[in-house]
């Protein structure tokens, strides 16, 4: 059973986002970004309430901006999904989770050392240039299930 329900168009959309956000960090980096996307869909808490589809997650607007920078600036995001990223996206959607993105709801590239918290949420770990952050204990328990 997959972690979340999805359609083939969701696989394509997620694959495009994973590539746009982390192509420079290779397959592993793209998988961590995929973890965050799926975690946000499963979370239904904090900033991620009432997100019901991959499209809702990808195109979510917070504070007047898209949650993912690649949607705004993304010449890569608006390219066709490639088969390698589609396979990675499907892997995330079906089962794949791994530290530091395993329970993360946020990531960013600080162009400096990772801060110990991000908007009050604890640092989970780093992969190459991206820092990953999990929700504080008790604030979003749904992200830690399935």
């Amino acid at each position: 059973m997959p972690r979340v329900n999805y359609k083939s168009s969701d696989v394509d959309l997620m694959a495009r986002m994973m590539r746009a956000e982390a192509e420079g960090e290779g397959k592993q980096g793209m998988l961590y970004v995929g973890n965050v996307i799926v975690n946000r869909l499963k979370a239904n808490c904090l900033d991620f309430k009432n997100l019901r589809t991959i499209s809702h997650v990808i195109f979510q607007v917070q504070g007047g901006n898209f949650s993912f920078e690649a949607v705004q600036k993304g010449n890569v995001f608006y390219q066709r999904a490639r088969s390698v990223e589609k396979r990675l996206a499907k892997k995330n959607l079906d089962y794949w989770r791994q530290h530091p993105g395993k329970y993360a709801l946020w990531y960013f590239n600080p162009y400096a050392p990772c801060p110990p918290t991000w908007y009050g949420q604890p640092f989970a770990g780093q992969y190459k240039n991206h820092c990953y952050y999990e929700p504080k204990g008790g604030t979003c328990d749904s992200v830690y299930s399935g």
Side-chain angles (χ1 to χ4, degrees), residues 2 10 31 36 40 42-43 45 66 68 83 94 96-97 103 111 113 117 120 123 130-131 138 143:
D10 295 324
L31 283 167
V36 170
R40 287 181 179 186
K42 290 195 59 76
C45 59
F66 288 106
F68 292 100
S83 60
D94 286 339
W96 194 90
R97 298 172 88 179
Y103 304 117
Y111 301 97
T117 60
F123 176 63
H130 282 114
C131 304
V143 80

Side-chain angles (χ1 to χ4, degrees), residues 51-124:
L51 300 175
R52 299 291 180 245
T53 66
I54 293 297
S55 182
H56 288 165
V57 173
I58 300 293
F59 294 107
Q60 182 185 24
V61 174
Q62 294 177 316
N65 294 307
F66 288 106
S67 294
F68 292 100
E69 191 173 307
V71 176
Q72 288 174 182
K73 300 180 179 178
N75 57 348
V76 173
F77 176 67
Y78 291 102
Q79 295 176 10
R80 182 187 321 247
R82 301 183 303 191
S83 60
V84 66
E85 288 93 13
K86 286 182 192 180
R87 282 192 301 275
L88 295 173
K90 188 161 177 14
K91 192 172 181 176
N92 276 127
L93 290 160
D94 286 339
Y95 66 90
W96 194 90
R97 298 172 88 179
Q98 195 172 77
H99 178 77
K102 186 172 186 176
Y103 304 117
L105 291 175
W106 304 272
Y107 65 87
F108 80 110
N109 179 349
Y111 301 97
C114 296
T117 60
W118 179 246
Y119 292 101
Q121 306 302 324
F123 176 63

Side-chain angles (χ1 to χ4, degrees), residues 3 28-29 31-40 42-43 92 95-107 124-127 131-135 140-146:
R3 292 191 61 219
Q28 193 77 11
L31 283 167
Y32 292 137
V33 167
N35 277 164
V36 170
I37 294 167
V38 174
N39 289 345
R40 287 181 179 186
K42 290 195 59 76
N92 276 127
Y95 66 90
W96 194 90
R97 298 172 88 179
Q98 195 172 77
H99 178 77
K102 186 172 186 176
Y103 304 117
L105 291 175
W106 304 272
Y107 65 87
Q126 181 174 356
Y127 184 75
C131 304
Y132 291 83
Y133 295 83
E134 298 178 358
C140 192
D141 292 338
S142 56
V143 80
Y144 295 101
S145 64

